[in-house]
Amino acid sequence: MSKCGRKKYMRTNVRQMTTETVESQQDRSVTHSVAEHSSAHMQTGQISVPTLAQVLGTELGYSARSVSVAGSDTGRGSPAVTLVQLPSGQTVQVQGVIQTPHPSVIQSPQIQTVQVATIAETDDSAESEVIDSHKRREILSRRPSYRKILNELSSDVPGIPKIEEEKSEEEGTPPNIATMAVPTSIYQTSTGQYTATGDMPTYQIRAPTTALPQGVVMAASPGSLHSPQQLAEEATRKRELRLMKNREAAKECRRRKKEYVKCLESRVAVLEVQNKKLIEELETLKDICSPKTD
DNA sequence: TCTAGGGGACGTCAGGACCG
DNA sequence: CGGTCCTGACGTCCCCTAGA
């Protein structure tokens, strides 16, 4: 079946998902973490987030040249400020890359999973089941969206491209398209649904509402409906509109998620390098400070 | 060559978050 | 408070690859 045929199939084949199935999904969802999706199998090069590495790399540059480092972490939510003394004697205050401004998307669900397992093992009563469901509900509470997290990261580290909020449509310009300057502009999927912009200096982020036919809603105002048939048509139209919106939203959400994961991976890489350099520096200082044996 | 399995992408549903 | 947005989870399809 071709991609187009498959899409057609997906459109016409409405899956019957029962409530029971959904509830079981909820239970299983606790054990599912983003980390599972952020494996090394993630396709590379679709959307690059080079600015993070570049910015943090700049910080690494200071770190590498430093002779003495005095670090201080102001606590959770505040990035560590590091005093770096350059070889020239000049002291520079650097906002370190080691910071925990946000609850980790990758780690927290796993921790919560352990908590759920512990509760389930130690409590059997019906009352505990109620408590369990409450706790599970708390655990399932939504964390901040990828857009928010990434934007907060962007504000912490200048130079990281922000994910733009949707803008109102304006005539004459492509609506709801935010542009970001990135070195590589490959933005496509294996299905080719997104056009590759290989020779363009920017890639485009389409807001979920971009491709929506606004006129669909405008065309059928409730006042103009009379017969049950018209009501049914209106209901169908609304449903299709909602599905179309959600389709676009899901695509956008997946794109943001990928970008976010890439951002985290870049960060991990930078932190690993920095950690290695700090260890080397520590060894050097140990050698200098230790009394000579011979 | 065939097949099983892994992985990516997609559409859909459900429900929490957010906003006017 | 209702409408909309966002995202986790699921099922499905397609592609690729290793092994028989």
Side-chain angles (χ1 to χ4, degrees), chain A residues 19-236:
Chain A
T19 307
E20 182 181 306
T21 308
V22 172
E23 286 175 357
S24 65
Q25 287 172 14
Q26 290 284 342
D27 292 345
R28 277 192 296 259
S29 70
V30 180
T31 61
H32 202 77
S33 71
V34 175
E36 293 173 8
H37 294 290
S38 62
S39 66
H41 300 291
M42 181 72 73
Q43 283 186 352
T44 58
Q46 284 196 346
I47 301 172
S48 66
V49 191
T51 36
L52 176 69
Q54 286 171 358
V55 170
L56 299 184
T58 305
E59 293 183 13
L60 282 177
Y62 281 114
S63 176
R65 287 194 302 272
S66 64
V67 174
S68 64
V69 177
S72 66
D73 192 352
T74 56
R76 182 180 177 86
S78 302
V81 175
T82 305
L83 294 177
V84 178
Q85 187 174 1
L86 301 178
S88 62
Q90 183 185 4
T91 302
V92 181
Q93 196 179 53
V94 176
Q95 182 176 311
V97 283
I98 301 174
Q99 48 186 278
T100 56
H102 317 285
S104 171
V105 175
I106 293 178
Q107 292 174 0
S108 53
Q110 293 171 337
I111 295 170
Q112 290 164 347
T113 301
V114 174
Q115 291 173 340
V116 169
T118 305
I119 292 166
E121 286 174 5
T122 56
D123 216 337
D124 295 334
S125 66
E127 187 179 353
S128 73
E129 286 181 9
V130 177
I131 297 172
D132 188 32
S133 68
H134 280 303
K135 285 185 176 295
R136 211 177 302 173
R137 182 164 282 278
E138 284 180 20
I139 288 165
L140 288 171
S141 64
R142 185 176 296 282
R143 56 177 156 64
S145 69
Y146 298 121
R147 174 187 289 167
K148 272 196 168 183
I149 295 172
L150 207 57
N151 283 346
E152 286 178 15
L153 273 173
S154 306
S155 60
D156 287 343
V157 184
I160 298 177
K162 287 193 173 189
I163 298 177
E164 304 253 345
E165 300 288 338
E166 290 113 283
K167 296 172 183 174
S168 60
E169 289 188 23
E170 293 179 13
E171 287 191 14
T173 57
N176 293 335
I177 294 179
T179 60
M180 289 196 288
V182 292
T184 57
S185 51
I186 302 170
Y187 179 42
Q188 60 179 357
T189 66
S190 61
T191 62
Q193 283 197 322
Y194 300 112
T195 55
T197 57
D199 51 354
M200 293 168 61
T202 62
Y203 71 86
Q204 299 176 338
I205 295 177
R206 288 194 173 272
T209 56
T210 300
L212 300 179
Q214 300 285 343
V216 172
V217 177
M218 303 295 287
S221 60
S224 63
L225 298 175
H226 299 294
S227 67
Q229 185 181 358
Q230 283 177 318
L231 287 172
E233 286 178 0
E234 171 66 8
T236 303

